């Protein structure tokens, strides 16, 4: 078997870059390997209007080290006040690629998200009309729904009715974590895709809770039972074009993670491609890695596959620093708890 693998330059279809010092520290970690990324808008305050997205895009480009080539694909944070015409104009100008729907309270910085889905109907209809994709954080927030069931309940109670009410709306189910998520994508061929993170291919809920609480494995949606991890691995490595990489790399500084109320998010930008190559090799699917990281996402978003390439080689296990420094504090890198023989050269 060949010990090198050359694939089109990957894209990350779900990425948190933050702002300020953390942005400057984490952006090179992504731009080193990835050509484009869908940039999540959950800043404080969130990226709500086209003008907000233009300003954030400028801050990202200013933070990009000289000589690095990277295209941020901007998103808008959907609120009940979002103006359909502002969204359409930002999309038409090429500034904004998609809109992100957070149910209010579902995750980090989602307080401005949607409570009443009827109030965002005009935006969703406009997006369906202009072919603009909606990225969905698919979890209900009802206090009486167990956190491990929130994705499956969201599909039945919110996502399926929303899709039926808005035919033609292109939807990405972000960071799916369950067999139900996989099954829903597979049974609905039209206008539906899903991102899968790196860490959800590697950890299940035991990694968070067995032998002491491990805050750096806590993210949302929370990792589920092993059977769900296996369903995600099967989907990601299947070659099915509806599944593509969205790392959901979500840096929080250590004091914010290692706390009595630790933030959700795993930081995986630095070692994602090493981990994915290991996972795809374990599944006998290295020939499908390029589809997952570099081809299926552009096809869904109607963008060209990168004409650049990256090359991975297999050798002695790669050593990554356990943390990166940001100026705002250290951010711990996701530990896959396995030797990573593949690295990008
Ligand atoms: C994300 C964050 O920190 O912004 N956290 C996470 O656990 N994934 C928010 C999100 O994507 O849910
Ligand atoms: Zn996210």
């Amino acid at each position: 078997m060949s010990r090198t693998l050359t694939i089109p330059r990957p894209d990350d279809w779900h990425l948190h870059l933050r702002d300020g010092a953390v942005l400057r520290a984490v952006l090179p970690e992504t731009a080193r390997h990835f050509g484009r990324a869908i940039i999540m808008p959950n800043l404080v305050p969130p990226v709500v209007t086209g003008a907000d997205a233009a300003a954030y895009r400028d801050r990202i480009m200013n933070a990009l080290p000289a000589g690095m080539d990277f295209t941020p694909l901007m998103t808008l944070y959907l609120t009940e006040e979002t103006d359909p015409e502002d969204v359409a104009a930002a999309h038409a100008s090429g500034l904004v690629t998609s809109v992100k729907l957070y149910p209010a309270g579902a995750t980090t910085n989602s307080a401005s998200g949607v409570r009443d889905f009827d109030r965002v109907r005009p935006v969703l209809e406009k997006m369906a009309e202009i072919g603009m994709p909606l990225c969905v954080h698919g979890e209900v927030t009802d206090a009486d729904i167990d956190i491990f069931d929130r994705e499956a309940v969201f599909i039945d109670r919110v996502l399926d009715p929303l899709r039926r009410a808005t035919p033609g709306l292109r939807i990405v189910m972000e960071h799916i974590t369950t067999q139900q998520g996989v099954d829903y994508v597979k049974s609905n061929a039209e206008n539906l895709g899903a991102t899968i993170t790196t860490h959800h291919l590697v950890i299940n809920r035991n990694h968070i809770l067995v032998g002491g609480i491990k805050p750096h494995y806590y993210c949302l949606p929370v990792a589920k039972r092993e059977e769900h991890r296996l369903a995600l691995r099967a989907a990601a490595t299947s070659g099915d074009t509806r599944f593509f990489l969205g790392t959901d790399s979500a840096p929080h500084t250590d004091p914010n993670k290692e706390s009595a109320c630790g933030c959700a998010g795993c930081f995986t930008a630095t070692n994602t491609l090493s981990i994915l190559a290991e996972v795809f090799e374990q599944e006998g699917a290295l020939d499908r890695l390029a589809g997952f990281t570099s081809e299926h996402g552009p096809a869904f978003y109607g963008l060209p596959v990168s004409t650049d390439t990256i090359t991975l080689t297999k050798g002695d296990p790669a050593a990554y620093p356990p943390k990166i420094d940001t100026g705002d504090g250290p951010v711990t890198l996701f530990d896959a708890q396995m030797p990573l023989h593949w690295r990008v050269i």
Side-chain angles (χ1 to χ4, degrees):
M1 151 116 35
S2 156
R3 293 172 77 86
T4 71
L5 179 66
T6 297
I7 60 175
R9 191 171 187 80
D11 303 301
D12 186 348
W13 300 96
H14 183 130
L15 177 67
H16 298 270
L17 285 178
R18 315 302 191 203
D19 220 335
V22 175
L23 166 64
R24 283 191 296 278
V26 301
L27 177 59
E29 301 301 300
T30 287
R32 197 176 296 134
H33 299 155
F34 294 85
R36 297 167 289 203
I38 288 274
I39 308 301
M40 287 295 133
N42 63 333
L43 305 182
V44 187
V47 178
V48 173
T49 63
D52 296 339
Y56 187 29
R57 189 181 192 287
D58 286 348
R59 297 201 295 283
I60 294 169
M61 294 316 287
N62 286 335
L64 189 66
M68 279 189 150
D69 188 16
F70 176 72
T71 304
L73 303 173
M74 306 308 292
T75 65
L76 296 179
Y77 184 120
L78 182 62
T79 75
E80 294 179 7
E81 279 73 49
T82 296
D83 173 5
E85 295 311 321
D86 180 59
V87 170
H91 186 248
S93 72
L95 169 67
V96 162
T97 301
S98 65
V99 170
K100 178 71 188 280
L101 185 163
Y102 291 99
T107 187
T108 308
N109 302 338
S110 60
S112 318
V114 176
R115 285 184 173 77
D116 178 354
F117 286 83
D118 286 339
R119 297 195 53 184
V120 297
R121 176 135 307 287
V123 181
L124 301 185
E125 274 162 14
K126 175 57 87 176
M127 291 172 64
E129 183 191 315
I130 64 179
M132 184 179 190
L134 178 72
C135 298
V136 176
H137 183 110
E139 290 188 287
V140 293
T141 55
D142 313 54
D144 62 329
I145 305 295
D146 190 279
I147 192 167
F148 293 99
D149 298 332
R150 288 181 173 195
E151 180 172 300
V153 172
F154 182 89
I155 292 169
D156 293 342
R157 285 195 194 167
V158 182
L159 182 61
D160 197 57
L162 186 146
R163 290 186 64 244
R164 287 175 200 280
T166 325
L169 180 61
R170 297 175 64 65
I171 292 183
V172 186
M173 294 170 69
E174 296 297 323
H175 43 49
I176 56 169
T177 57
T178 58
Q179 175 85 60
Q180 290 92 330
V182 169
D183 290 347
Y184 189 73
V185 173
K186 283 193 186 164
S187 63
N188 289 270
E190 284 289 295
N191 296 328
L192 191 61
T195 55
I196 299 177
T197 75
T198 308
H199 48 283
H200 287 120
L201 297 174
V202 175
I203 61 166
N204 63 33
R205 63 196 203 177
N206 280 9
H207 290 84
I208 310 169
L209 295 170
V210 171
I213 191 158
K214 313 284 187 343
H216 295 291
Y217 291 139
Y218 174 61
C219 68
L220 288 169
V222 69
K224 309 293 191 298
R225 287 177 180 276
E226 176 66 357
E227 68 204 51
H228 297 289
R229 185 183 75 95
L230 296 177
L232 297 174
R233 276 173 85 105
T237 58
S238 68
D240 186 325
T241 59
R242 292 168 295 188
F243 300 104
F244 40 91
L245 174 64
T247 65
D248 195 17
S249 182
H252 293 277
T253 60
D254 285 353
N256 287 316
K257 293 285 293 174
E258 300 167 6
S259 137
C261 184
C263 293
C266 297
F267 175 64
T268 54
T270 311
N271 55 4
T272 270
L273 289 168
S274 282
I275 298 171
L276 289 175
E278 205 76 29
V279 165
F280 275 67
E281 185 175 51
Q282 286 166 3
E283 299 293 329
L286 265 182
D287 57 330
R288 296 181 180 155
L289 181 65
F292 184 67
T293 61
S294 316
E295 293 165 1
H296 303 166
F300 184 90
Y301 276 93
L303 294 168
V305 171
S306 179
T307 51
D308 290 346
T309 58
I310 61 161
T311 297
L312 295 118
T313 57
K314 188 177 181 187
D316 293 336
Y320 289 98
K323 298 173 193 292
I324 65 163
D325 261 318
T326 71
D328 267 0
V331 169
T332 291
L333 180 62
F334 178 76
D335 177 1
Q337 286 191 17
M338 60 181 174
L340 301 174
H341 300 93
W342 289 90
R343 79 196 78 206
V344 180
I345 52 168

